[in-house]
Amino acid sequence: MASQPPKKKQRKRNIVRQSAGQLERFDSLPWASSLPDTDDDPFSALAGLNDFEGGVLSLEEIDESEYGLELPKGFQKGGKKPEKLTKRKREESNSDEVVKEEVKNDETGEEVNNGETEKEVGKTKKKQKKKKKKKAKKPKESMDTEEETVTVAETNDQVDKEEDQVDDSEYHAWYELRLHPLLMKSISRLKFIEPTPIQKACIPAGAHQGKDVIGAAETGSGKTLAFGLPILQRLLEERDKLERQVEEKGEADEKVVSRGLLRALIITPTRELALQVTDHLKQVAKGTDVRVVPIVGGMSTEKQERLLKTRPEIVVGTPGRLWELMSGGEIHLVELHSLSFFVLDEADRMIDNGHFHELQSIIDMLPMIREGHQEVSENCVTASGFQRKKRQTFVFSATIALSSDFRKKLKRGSVKTKSDGELNSIEALSERAGMRSNAAVIDLTNASIMANNLEESFIECPEEDKDACLYYILSVHGQGRTIVFCTSIAALRHISSLMRILNVNVLTLHAQMQQRARLKAIDRFRANDHGILVATDVAARGLDIPGVRTVVHYQLPHSAEVYVHRSGRTARASADGCSIALISPKESSKFSSLCKSFSKESFQQFPIDSSYMPEVIKRLSLARQIDRVLRKESQDKADKTWFQRNAESIELIVEENDSEDERANTIRKTKANSAKLKNLQQELKSLLSRPLQPKSFSSRYLAGAGISPLLQQQFEELAKQKLAEKENPRNNNNNKRKMVVIGHDCVEPLQALRSSGHEVSMDLKGAGEKRRSLDNLRRKRKEDKKRLHDQKRKQRKKLKSGGD
Ligand SMILES: Nc1ncnc2c1ncn2[C@@H]1O[C@H](COP(=O)(O)OP(=O)(O)OP(=O)(O)O)[C@@H](O)[C@H]1O
């Protein structure tokens, strides 16, 4: 007699048991000893060299819940309440449980899959049973008849279905891309009415043709989903296939049984970007059971290892921390035979120093690909009998096309290099990562590379006037979010300190800040509609904060790529925005070569109403003096404590051997300094309590369209003062009301720029010549100096030999 087909539930158990067995086999495989065995933090090597990976950072603990990095409940210490699951998730977790129960029977006492103990499984099971009972009870309590219960269930189903349905007419452009219904649901939830051009071009190639993709498109054009959706699409298609096979045949092909294996590895150059990409993918993967986990430096390694124990299908990380865990043998990260996607986001940044070594090591760990199938790299842990997946490579950036004649190659679709040698170009990097020759090359960048709705402008001013220009922009036009970019941390500290003295509330972000503080600064910036962030280039790439209206380049960056990425923090998606570069005479040749790389011949000059400047300069001069005094004070304090600390550490008794006079002098000086500081602060306070207004302006009536947040604050101060004067008229020696404040004409920088419309042609040829003659002058000076030095040396020698 033919044997009966096993029941559906039993079949599912068998399949999941198979995959659990495979996972256990992988766990027991030895780690390749050829890899460096080091406990060092890879970031320590980058200290001071690299703005992106954060220099010297201690691995502090981050509160995962703050950044949405919680472990699924079952994996948390103590494994409390099971997560609230969707219908689909519930089914899967139930089947997982059944397998765990069987594993327990087979290998009593051993830890069950993914670190859950028998006890925990038992507890969860009991809880679930209770839950089921409760569930079964609930409708009975509220409904009288079985019929009614069925109606409720049907209505719920209907609601579910209605929720699942996406309005065809509104989202028709997406339907051509044939995405999974769950992804369509997310897209409609996120209200992305149509795919962006880069998404339209990449999704068919990446998701349906299984091709590798090199994608270049302007900043803010939706590149994350251009590679994210194909990944999710494939994972969901595979799940559906598995379910179908189980239903039809009672079991699934081994090749589609891949739950709990790493399927996509996405590498980004900065930690903030990795967290943001994770967040973005999580939003789209909502309602599916695909897990996305960030692995970045500056956070506790142990916590990240725990996150990896949940066996997420998608890992997004920075090269340093990823390599640290991979070289440490983290099992989930070295089971690379199952990897179906390898993504380099902001790829051109990856070839810069700092990331290079780790990235190269990661790429060397990937199973090698020979057209059509994968070979196992000797460093990669694999299991025989497991079907290796065809891996796709995605390489994306807004500025790939800027690298020397890469644009031409992109256009011709002839991006190909020798397979050996250094990974010092994107082409070499892509090929080493396994990019196949039939890759889809999608370059949607225009000649200027910049986003279409970005208005670029500049202000030419002496170096020492940059602060005044910045204060003018922030106070006269301080509407919407603004990011001020500096090249050096010293400049960042300088302007943030000045602006704070001037009551301009700025946030800072740079690589020497601890990771927690960096993320907090971004969060606070996000939360304030008129926030001002002063940042180094750590924030230049990828940060997606809606409502950034203005980008100010306080110092010009070192490369055209960085300029593009910085400016790209505004005018994202379909929004518009403006960038303002402050150009000192020293930077003008750099600026013109920048224009040249974008084939720009004219640039708009940002309008400055010079009648504001006397007041601006007055305030700034006071702020500078205050800043100097404060710095001196804190420097003195630091020196003193340093001396005392060191003396104490060697048990030295420091004698006060200053004379009476000297001591009295010091006290007098300190007193004078603090009196000076007080006066300056008082003077500035009184200036700040008046609204900033043009010199020629009548102060009697101040009226206009809008009011900047800074002015708002000043008005409030003023109102408080007036109130105090009114309440206490005796202190008020002048009862006549001086001013009526109604508002102030405040337009945001973009509006000011549009209404001024003052375009200035850049004399690129002239600037080039100027630069050449400057270089010549410098060379000549250097030669003269050397000649003089040689002459003197010879004379000395002569004198010496004559004397002998
Ligand atoms: N189809 C779409 N419709 C509307 N908005 C979208 C769409 N796709 C993505 N977005 C939104 O556009 C913004 C920019 O997307 P994303 O960060 O992916 O851009 P990017 O091209 O990677 O930018 P960058 O080069 O600066 O990293 C995000 O806020 C994202 O949510």
Side-chain angles (χ1 to χ4, degrees):
M1 221 171 89
S3 62
Q4 292 280 321
K7 282 181 194 158
K8 202 170 155 188
K9 214 172 178 185
Q10 183 63 41
R11 279 180 226 142
K12 270 197 175 174
R13 280 181 201 173
N14 290 342
I15 292 153
V16 190
R17 187 165 44 175
Q18 280 168 18
S19 63
Q22 275 162 353
L23 293 180
E24 288 219 328
R25 274 210 308 281
F26 299 144
D27 284 340
S28 63
L29 286 168
W31 169 242
S33 56
S34 61
L35 294 168
D37 183 19
T38 169
D39 287 328
D40 293 347
D41 182 354
F43 292 114
S44 60
L46 312 178
L49 289 176
N50 175 17
D51 263 359
F52 286 83
E53 283 289 350
V56 208
L57 275 172
S58 65
L59 296 178
E60 50 154 354
E61 298 265 305
I62 279 205
D63 184 359
E64 301 112 328
S65 59
E66 267 182 65
Y67 304 103
L69 306 176
E70 295 107 312
L71 295 168
K73 292 284 181 323
F75 293 91
Q76 279 171 356
K77 279 181 208 159
K80 286 175 199 149
K81 262 189 186 172
E83 204 182 352
K84 200 178 166 192
L85 300 172
T86 59
K87 202 171 142 194
R88 193 187 159 118
K89 273 188 187 167
R90 258 197 307 272
E91 274 170 17
E92 273 162 13
S93 73
N94 285 347
S95 61
D96 273 354
E97 239 176 66
V98 178
V99 177
K100 281 165 197 158
E101 193 188 25
E102 287 183 10
V103 171
K104 180 186 144 194
N105 288 341
D106 291 343
E107 302 154 59
T108 3
E110 283 292 279
E111 206 178 79
V112 215
N113 189 23
N114 290 349
E116 269 196 67
T117 60
E118 275 174 56
K119 232 179 173 179
E120 280 167 343
V121 173
K123 268 187 199 170
T124 328
K125 240 189 119 187
K126 270 182 203 164
K127 271 183 192 167
Q128 292 231 336
K129 266 185 192 167
K130 266 189 197 168
K131 251 194 172 178
K132 268 185 200 165
K133 267 187 196 168
K134 259 191 191 171
K135 254 196 165 175
K137 253 185 183 176
K138 235 184 182 175
K140 270 185 195 164
E141 277 164 10
S142 54
M143 303 286 164
D144 290 324
T145 61
E146 227 177 65
E147 214 176 294
E148 274 169 314
T149 319
V150 174
T151 325
V152 170
E154 275 173 1
T155 324
N156 285 344
D157 271 0
Q158 217 173 316
V159 172
D160 273 357
K161 271 181 200 158
E162 273 168 18
E163 264 188 15
D164 279 354
Q165 275 165 7
V166 176
D167 183 356
D168 282 24
S169 55
E170 222 182 338
Y171 293 88
H172 65 92
W174 283 102
Y175 279 92
E176 287 164 22
L177 299 178
R178 294 184 289 124
L179 288 173
H180 194 279
L182 288 176
L183 295 180
M184 286 302 295
K185 202 176 152 190
S186 296
I187 284 164
S188 86
R189 181 173 28 83
L190 293 168
K191 302 209 170 12
F192 291 165
I193 304 292
E194 55 176 340
T196 63
I198 187 81
Q199 290 164 357
K200 242 185 230 167
C202 293
I203 293 171
H208 304 305
Q209 296 158 19
K211 282 190 171 184
D212 293 339
V213 179
I214 295 185
E218 63 187 41
T219 49
S221 58
K223 292 188 286 295
T224 312
L225 290 191
F227 62 74
L229 285 172
I231 296 174
L232 291 167
Q233 173 72 14
R234 181 157 157 194
L235 297 188
L236 292 176
E237 273 176 3
E238 283 180 6
R239 296 252 158 108
D240 287 355
K241 197 169 168 187
L242 169 79
E243 274 173 16
R244 267 199 316 276
Q245 282 182 353
V246 171
E247 265 169 31
E248 285 163 13
K249 294 196 280 178
E251 57 182 3
D253 287 349
E254 207 182 357
K255 66 180 171 189
V256 285
V257 183
S258 52
R259 231 184 109 68
L261 294 174
L262 180 63
R263 307 298 310 283
L265 183 60
I266 301 169
I267 306 193
T268 70
T270 67
R271 298 163 186 183
E272 286 79 5
L273 187 53
L275 294 175
Q276 186 185 288
V277 169
T278 307
D279 211 40
H280 206 3
L281 295 185
K282 269 186 179 170
Q283 279 175 13
V284 185
K286 211 170 176 179
T288 76
D289 52 0
V290 177
R291 281 154 303 177
V292 193
V293 154
I295 297 295
V296 293
M299 293 162 70
S300 142
T301 315
E302 291 72 33
K303 275 190 185 173
Q304 299 199 333
E305 281 167 346
R306 282 210 301 278
L307 277 175
L308 288 172
K309 282 215 165 62
T310 68
R311 299 205 166 261
E313 291 84 351
I314 304 177
V315 166
V316 188
T318 44
R321 177 54 60 86
L322 275 174
W323 179 240
E324 184 190 339
L325 292 176
M326 285 168 112
S327 57
E330 167 51 53
I331 193 73
H332 190 62
L333 293 179
V334 295
E335 292 169 358
L336 294 169
H337 55 276
S338 59
L339 195 71
S340 297
F341 297 93
F342 181 70
V343 185
L344 294 176
D345 191 15
E346 304 293 350
D348 51 336
R349 170 70 186 120
M350 301 286 192
I351 55 172
D352 294 357
N353 286 338
H355 299 291
F356 195 69
H357 170 69
E358 287 95 351
L359 184 63
Q360 191 164 14
S361 310
I362 293 169
I363 288 178
D364 285 345
M365 273 197 75
L366 300 176
M368 280 192 287
I369 293 192
R370 289 246 175 90
E371 297 292 314
H373 64 273
Q374 285 190 27
E375 261 178 26
V376 180
S377 145
E378 56 183 55
N379 293 332
C380 160
V381 173
T382 187
S384 59
F386 192 87
Q387 173 78 33
R388 284 165 214 137
K389 306 269 168 197
K390 197 166 78 176
R391 191 177 71 236
Q392 287 173 255
T393 307
F394 295 158
V395 171
F396 278 77
S397 180
T399 46
I400 286 184
L402 264 187
S403 47
S404 59
D405 71 27
F406 199 70
R407 174 190 294 279
K408 280 184 221 142
K409 286 186 190 169
L410 278 177
K411 291 270 187 258
R412 285 201 306 265
S414 60
V415 185
K416 206 166 183 315
T417 51
K418 298 159 222 100
S419 51
D420 46 23
E422 284 286 287
L423 293 186
N424 53 4
S425 71
I426 294 160
E427 299 113 281
L429 197 74
S430 314
E431 178 152 327
R432 186 97 158 238
M435 176 81 67
R436 289 160 291 173
S437 53
N438 68 343
V441 180
I442 296 159
D443 175 17
L444 301 185
T445 50
N446 52 30
S448 80
I449 308 275
M450 307 304 257
N452 282 329
N453 31 10
L454 171 79
E455 305 251 357
E456 292 169 87
S457 67
F458 74 102
I459 297 172
E460 248 178 332
C461 61
E463 188 65 44
E464 58 276 14
D465 286 353
K466 279 189 175 182
D467 297 337
C469 292
L470 181 65
Y471 181 60
Y472 171 86
I473 295 167
L474 297 179
S475 50
V476 177
H477 298 293
Q479 294 278 43
R481 292 193 182 99
T482 306
I483 305 185
V484 182
F485 279 106
C486 300
T487 311
S488 70
I489 295 183
L492 175 146
R493 290 201 171 117
H494 164 76
I495 52 175
S496 53
S497 155
L498 276 187
M499 292 304 133
R500 280 176 187 145
I501 293 172
L502 287 162
N503 275 356
V504 182
N505 195 8
V506 296
L507 296 159
T508 51
L509 180 69
H510 59 82
Q512 282 177 10
M513 281 162 71
Q514 290 209 328
Q515 189 59 27
R516 192 192 183 89
R518 277 161 70 164
L519 294 172
K520 275 241 159 84
I522 292 177
D523 275 356
R524 284 169 63 197
F525 181 55
R526 238 182 246 278
N528 183 352
D529 286 349
H530 302 287
I532 300 165
L533 180 72
V534 184
T536 55
D537 290 324
V538 75
R541 284 200 185 236
L543 269 198
D544 180 48
I545 297 170
V548 174
R549 304 292 300 143
T550 315
V551 164
V552 181
H553 304 269
Y554 180 84
Q555 290 171 313
L556 277 188
H558 295 310
S559 74
E561 278 92 347
V562 179
Y563 176 83
V564 174
H565 286 284
R566 279 180 175 188
S567 306
R569 294 320 97 210
T570 181
R572 297 180 69 73
S574 51
D576 51 14
C578 113
S579 81
I580 309 167
L582 305 183
I583 316 288
S584 69
K586 255 189 185 169
E587 289 170 313
S588 60
S589 62
K590 198 178 187 181
F591 187 58
S592 46
S593 49
L594 206 83
C595 299
K596 213 167 153 190
S597 33
F598 310 134
S599 328
K600 262 197 161 241
E601 286 187 354
S602 64
F603 241 85
Q604 284 217 68
Q605 205 164 27
F606 188 82
I608 286 198
D609 182 345
S610 56
S611 59
Y612 279 95
M613 290 326 261
E615 177 75 10
V616 165
I617 287 166
K618 214 153 107 196
R619 290 180 182 199
L620 208 68
S621 137
L622 284 170
R624 278 194 184 129
Q625 291 179 58
I626 293 172
D627 188 43
R628 261 199 302 274
V629 178
L630 288 175
R631 265 173 210 273
K632 175 96 184 42
E633 264 182 11
S634 68
Q635 185 61 47
D636 288 350
K637 247 184 221 163
D639 288 349
K640 210 170 167 185
T641 48
W642 179 88
F643 186 71
Q644 272 166 354
R645 240 192 354 258
N646 281 287
E648 273 164 22
S649 72
I650 51 171
E651 292 174 3
L652 206 76
I653 297 163
V654 186
E655 274 185 21
E656 293 270 346
N657 50 3
D658 287 353
S659 68
E660 273 296 299
D661 280 355
E662 276 171 334
R663 239 176 292 151
N665 210 7
T666 317
I667 292 170
R668 219 180 7 255
K669 256 190 200 165
T670 319
K671 270 190 180 164
N673 265 350
S674 59
K676 186 180 167 192
L677 183 64
K678 221 172 167 184
N679 283 343
L680 289 168
Q681 282 169 333
Q682 203 64 43
E683 203 179 333
L684 183 64
K685 197 177 167 199
S686 101
L687 284 186
L688 291 179
S689 67
R690 293 203 301 262
L692 186 68
Q693 47 190 286
K695 188 97 181 147
S696 54
F697 201 87
S698 147
S699 64
R700 174 103 181 106
Y701 292 102
L702 196 58
I707 135 165
S708 79
L710 186 66
L711 270 175
Q712 168 81 37
Q713 192 190 333
Q714 290 177 354
F715 287 148
E716 279 167 12
E717 286 274 319
L718 193 69
K720 262 189 237 161
Q721 258 181 31
K722 296 268 166 206
L723 207 69
E725 280 169 13
K726 227 175 159 185
E727 278 169 3
N728 203 351
R730 247 178 283 159
N731 287 355
N732 185 8
N733 44 18
N734 185 3
N735 275 338
K736 211 175 96 196
R737 285 175 65 182
K738 276 190 203 143
M739 191 168 73
V740 180
V741 179
I742 302 168
H744 171 66
D745 235 347
C746 177
V747 291
E748 65 173 54
L750 180 63
Q751 240 175 305
L753 192 59
R754 280 185 179 153
S755 46
S756 91
H758 185 42
E759 285 234 340
V760 174
S761 327
M762 304 301 296
D763 180 12
L764 297 182
K765 215 172 146 194
E769 269 164 22
K770 217 160 129 186
R771 193 178 57 236
R772 268 192 297 281
S773 62
L774 252 172
D775 286 346
N776 283 341
L777 199 74
R778 246 179 247 140
R779 203 175 319 119
K780 216 168 155 244
R781 260 195 219 148
K782 216 172 164 184
E783 280 168 9
D784 285 350
K785 216 170 157 187
K786 197 169 174 267
R787 212 180 17 254
L788 211 75
H789 185 76
D790 285 348
Q791 260 176 15
K792 274 187 186 162
R793 200 159 46 91
K794 270 182 200 160
Q795 270 174 3
R796 271 201 304 271
K797 225 174 167 182
K798 228 179 186 175
L799 275 172
K800 217 174 169 190
S801 57
D804 289 344

